Amino acid sequence: MSASHPTDRQPGPQRPRGPAAPPAQAARVLLLRDFDLGTLVAIRHEVERLCGLWGLTGLGLYRFVVAVNEITTNAVRHGGGSGRLRLWHVGRRLYCRIDDSGPGGAADPERLPDPGSPEGRGLWLARQNVARLTLYSGPAGTTIELEAS
């Protein structure tokens, strides 16, 4: 894994969907927490609280929290039932990374699923609410990084 990722987890084969986040040595971690179905609500509230304290407000705060919530929910539903969230900032930019250990094969965040499809909108919705979404997926799991708008 390159130095641009502030985690020591090594995902499977990588499928980048945007530029890498800034170098980890410049990052200040705000939250590092494992989550599962029972902690999804609490982690969403904690992300909202920390982002608000950091200075994200209004629609920007709402949109970032929606994106984080969609990805953490996907990690629980499709990624093995749990995950790890890391929230950090570099300068005035906020980032969030969600790792899971599911089978990989995440959908394309740039493509809206077919209207008849019962799934697949969460990743697309998350992409619509952030400045950047980077996706790495493979047999060892999926990692998604979000950058607040």
Side-chain angles (χ1 to χ4, degrees):
M1 176 140 309
S2 72
S4 66
H5 303 288
T7 186
D8 51 9
R9 181 176 178 277
Q10 179 71 25
Q14 299 185 352
R15 219 173 35 138
R17 294 283 182 194
Q25 55 270 32
R28 178 167 174 249
V29 175
L30 301 172
L31 180 64
L32 177 60
R33 179 137 327 131
D34 292 333
F35 63 88
D36 59 19
L37 180 60
T39 58
L40 278 178
V41 171
I43 205 158
R44 182 180 68 235
H45 289 300
E46 185 69 0
V47 166
E48 182 175 22
R49 184 184 74 77
L50 290 169
C51 290
L53 288 174
W54 181 84
L56 198 58
T57 61
L59 186 57
L61 175 61
Y62 172 78
R63 291 175 63 147
F64 191 64
V65 171
V66 164
V68 169
N69 186 65
E70 289 296 330
I71 302 305
T72 55
T73 300
N74 279 357
V76 169
R77 290 187 68 213
H78 308 292
S82 64
R84 172 169 272 190
L85 178 139
R86 180 182 294 250
L87 179 68
W88 76 97
H89 74 87
V90 177
R92 298 297 305 157
R93 299 299 282 181
L94 268 172
Y95 301 89
C96 187
R97 178 180 177 128
I98 296 108
D99 296 300
D100 70 46
S101 59
D108 182 350
E110 301 294 332
R111 194 175 135 263
L112 182 60
D114 184 6
S117 173
E119 294 185 345
R121 287 168 187 73
L123 188 58
W124 180 85
L125 180 63
R127 174 63 195 102
Q128 304 311 303
N129 283 297
V130 295
R132 181 187 56 84
L133 183 151
T134 306
L135 183 147
Y136 308 93
S137 190
T142 298
T143 296
I144 296 179
E145 288 182 357
L146 306 170
E147 178 181 340
S149 296

